[in-house]
Amino acid sequence: MKGELAEWMVKFITSHFSKAAKKFVEKHMTAKIVLIDGNMLTGLMIRYGLGVSTVYNYAIKRVDSDYFNDDE
């Protein structure tokens, strides 16, 4: 990364980063590095709808108090 003179970097892995890897990045790297592990990656995929499909939707209902208003 230093040879490329990068200002920032995103690193994806499908498992997890070790504590030592996270500590190394925080302590030794001057460029901005974003570590995205499997849990964060799947959360981002779901949030932004990338590479996922909706299997089932459901509605949550509540009582409409205006419907039962006695003022009329």
Side-chain angles (χ1 to χ4, degrees):
M1 188 168 152
K2 287 183 180 180
E4 299 295 325
L5 300 174
E7 293 181 18
W8 60 274
M9 176 178 136
V10 178
K11 178 69 176 171
F12 293 94
I13 63 171
T14 56
S15 60
H16 68 279
F17 291 97
S18 68
K19 289 181 183 180
K22 291 176 186 178
K23 192 177 221 179
F24 178 83
V25 167
E26 290 174 10
K27 187 174 183 179
H28 297 292
M29 300 308 240
T30 57
K32 177 69 177 165
I33 298 176
V34 179
L35 301 177
I36 299 178
D37 65 8
N39 288 335
M40 184 184 288
L41 179 59
T42 54
L44 290 168
M45 290 171 66
I46 291 168
R47 176 185 288 172
Y48 295 105
L50 299 171
V52 297
S53 59
T54 301
V55 175
Y56 183 74
N57 282 323
Y58 63 94
I60 299 173
K61 305 281 185 168
R62 66 180 171 91
V63 174
D64 183 358
S65 60
D66 291 338
Y67 181 82
F68 295 102
N69 191 349
D70 291 336
D71 292 340
E72 293 180 23

